[in-house]
Amino acid sequence: MTHLYYDSRTGNVQRFIDKVIQITGWTAHRIHKDMVVDKPGHLITFTTNFGKVPPLTEEFLQTQHSNFFSVTSSGNRNWGRNFGVAADKIAEQYDIPMAFKFELSGTMEDINQFIDIIKNQYYDSKRGSKKLDIA
């Protein structure tokens, strides 16, 4: 069973997760203060404040980062090079491979591509490649 751990402020990541779950049946857990991960999985978050990792995500990662096979981030292409940059920062700081970036709540193409990446690169396995051509 694939587990997704996510942070959502405006609802974009929540909508993305809802669509992924509807298609796959995977299990999703919304992160919260003092949460402990009991099943390793994949982290999905958002980028805030012109390219920062959300504070709740950052706090969560300080103790739980070793439980993730990959990181994915939403963003807004209007921010140019800062689009989805939270995933880049998390990948670098915590040595977690970046899987994907999507805009706002993602398109169906984004959702299908994310599912394909998780199934084929990271599905219940050890961490995959640090760099993906499509991320």
Side-chain angles (χ1 to χ4, degrees):
M1 174 61 69
T2 299
H3 291 266
L4 306 175
Y5 296 85
Y6 71 96
D7 191 1
S8 183
R9 184 182 65 205
T10 63
N12 284 329
V13 174
Q14 179 72 60
R15 285 187 291 280
F16 182 84
I17 291 294
D18 290 345
K19 293 173 201 170
V20 169
I21 291 168
Q22 185 178 22
I23 294 168
T24 63
W26 293 344
T27 301
H29 314 271
R30 187 169 187 151
I31 65 173
H32 55 81
K33 189 171 176 58
D34 301 321
M35 181 178 188
V36 176
V37 173
D38 60 347
K39 304 270 188 199
H42 305 273
L43 178 66
I44 301 91
T45 191
F46 59 96
T47 301
T48 190
N49 270 354
F50 307 103
K52 293 187 179 179
V53 175
L56 178 61
T57 300
E58 185 65 50
E59 183 180 319
F60 177 66
L61 282 166
Q62 289 173 7
T63 59
Q64 302 300 310
H65 65 273
S66 63
N67 291 306
F68 298 108
F69 301 123
S70 72
V71 61
T72 293
S73 181
S74 71
N76 188 318
R77 293 191 191 280
N78 289 340
W79 302 119
R81 65 187 174 108
N82 286 330
F83 166 68
V85 77
D88 298 302
K89 290 179 177 182
I90 291 167
E92 184 175 329
Q93 183 174 353
Y94 294 101
D95 196 30
I96 302 171
M98 182 178 56
F100 195 66
K101 294 180 184 181
F102 61 94
E103 188 169 25
L104 303 174
S105 61
T107 64
M108 281 310 298
E109 183 178 338
D110 292 333
I111 291 159
N112 289 327
Q113 193 171 8
F114 171 79
I115 292 167
D116 185 57
I117 289 168
I118 299 305
K119 280 184 175 180
N120 294 311
Q121 294 290 328
Y122 299 106
Y123 185 75
D124 290 342
S125 64
K126 293 182 180 177
R127 291 182 175 176
S129 167
K130 285 193 178 275
K131 299 197 186 271
L132 296 174
D133 292 338
I134 58 177

